[in-house]
Every structure is written in structure tokens, then in C-alpha cells.
Amino acid sequence: MRFTFRFRWLPFAAAVVVAAIGIALGHWQTRRAQEKDAIEARLTVREAAPPLALNAGMPDAGEAEYRRAILRGEFVRDWTIYLDNRPYQGAAGFYVLMPFRLAASGQHILVARGWVKRDIGDRTRMPEIPTPAGMTEIEGRLRRNPGHVLQLGRAEPLRPGAIVQNVDLQEFAQASKLDIAPLMLEQLNDTHDGLIRDWPRPSGGADKHRGYAFQWYALAATALVFFVVTGFRRGTK
């Protein structure tokens, strides 16, 4: 009894293609995990630093991201927008975004005030959200952007009260005609408005990416093993 190997081009090409795709996607997921690890390292360092007081000017965006900051000024209520497709603990809802005018410089910074549950019966019906009147002080974490989700359908033009899936700070500045800073703030302190401020950690999901990477690498290995095993045929002299 002996085993002989029969090489065939079509199974070989299919195995190579599947293995190449698996390895490429495995590398991509590994890089994503490494990026999340790097973000977590920056978060740990910057969260331990004392809060920035944004009085006279805006710090460098790259150096200030993830730092805590204290802002003094007032909310611009006329330009509230809502980020859709932001679930929280399994419930559909929105992030409430509102510009905040800094008292010292007059510049505006977009503030993610918190999360609010969506009305199941009417998606466009928003609850009354109390907003501090006049001069107030808020604290939060600086971010370069409010995050991005898959865009479903055509984006609605930015206007006061708009429900959008994503927002760009420069686009918001152009639509609102406000001097918007290149950073935004995820508010952390309570201003008695009923909003939830349990913000997702931007470094979260590194282990998930490693799990996906393992699955893609396993797929590549399986394709090659399958080609080798099926290439052998059993025969007798």
C-alpha cells in the first residue's frame, strides 16, 4: 500500500487564493489590535494628566486627544444635532451634540453631551433635554471626532435638529457658520439633563480583533492542509 500525491492546478490555485485572503485579513485584524493597544497606552497616560483648562486657546489636536479638559462658557442651543445608530445596552438611541462657546476666546467646540433613547414609535421625536442657561462649566474628554458608523442611505444636510449618522467638524463649521475648534469634547460631568454619559472606550475591542485574526489565519491554514490532504491518493502496486 502506498500514497501518491496528485497535483492539480485548479485546487492549488483555489487553495492559494483562499490562503492569501486569510493571511491578508489576519494581518489587517492584527494591525487593528495593535492600533487599539497603542490607543489604550495613550489613554492611560493622558487620563492620568491633570485636566486642561481651555481658556485662551485650543491646544494641538494630536497632543490633546484623550486628555480631560475643563470648559467655561455657554451652550449654543440653536444648533443641536443628533447622531443616529448609537445603541446603548441593546437600546436604540442618539448622541446629542451641541456647540459650546468658550468664554475666554469666543471660539466654539462641539460637545457630545450624552446619549438619549430613541422614541420607538417616532424616530424623529426627541425628548425635551434641559440645557444649562448662561455661563456654565463642563468637564470631559477631548476627541478628534465623534466616531464613524456605516452610512445608511444618503446623508441628510446639516441643519439645526438634524438626525445624521456621521458628522465632520469642518462640515459642521461650514453649515453652522461658527468658529469650530478642531477638537470635540465628550462631556463627563452631570448637568442634570437626564443624558447618559457612559462613553465607549476608543481602545476597546483589541481582543476581538485578535480573535478575528486567529480565525482568518486558521482559514488560510485549513485551505493549505485541505489541498495537501486531498492531493494524496491511496493506491496499490
Side-chain angles (χ1 to χ4, degrees), residues 70-94:
I70 298 174
L71 280 61
R72 182 168 177 78
E74 55 186 329
F75 283 106
V76 181
R77 309 186 200 190
D78 297 338
W79 255 101
T80 304
I81 62 172
Y82 305 90
L83 288 188
D84 198 0
N85 197 23
R86 265 60 177 192
Y88 177 72
Q89 296 184 350
F94 306 93

Side-chain angles (χ1 to χ4, degrees), residues 64-142:
E65 188 174 25
Y66 309 131
R67 287 282 302 272
R68 286 180 176 254
I70 298 174
L71 280 61
R72 182 168 177 78
E74 55 186 329
F75 283 106
V76 181
R77 309 186 200 190
D78 297 338
W79 255 101
T80 304
I81 62 172
Y82 305 90
L83 288 188
D84 198 0
N85 197 23
R86 265 60 177 192
Y88 177 72
Q89 296 184 350
F94 306 93
Y95 287 166
V96 180
L97 271 59
M98 185 179 293
F100 188 86
R101 184 180 182 275
L102 298 173
S105 65
Q107 191 176 27
H108 297 77
I109 183 170
L110 191 61
V111 175
R113 295 185 56 191
W115 181 89
V116 64
K117 188 176 181 180
R118 190 176 79 184
D119 188 317
I120 298 177
D122 184 356
R123 169 178 170 271
T124 63
R125 182 188 301 163
M126 296 296 169
E128 291 292 332
I129 300 173
T131 300
M135 201 63 59
T136 188
E137 186 174 277
I138 60 174
E139 182 176 350
R141 181 186 298 114
L142 293 171

Side-chain angles (χ1 to χ4, degrees), residues 79 108 172-180:
W79 255 101
H108 297 77
F172 185 86
Q174 293 173 350
S176 64
K177 309 302 182 187
L178 298 174
D179 180 16
I180 298 294

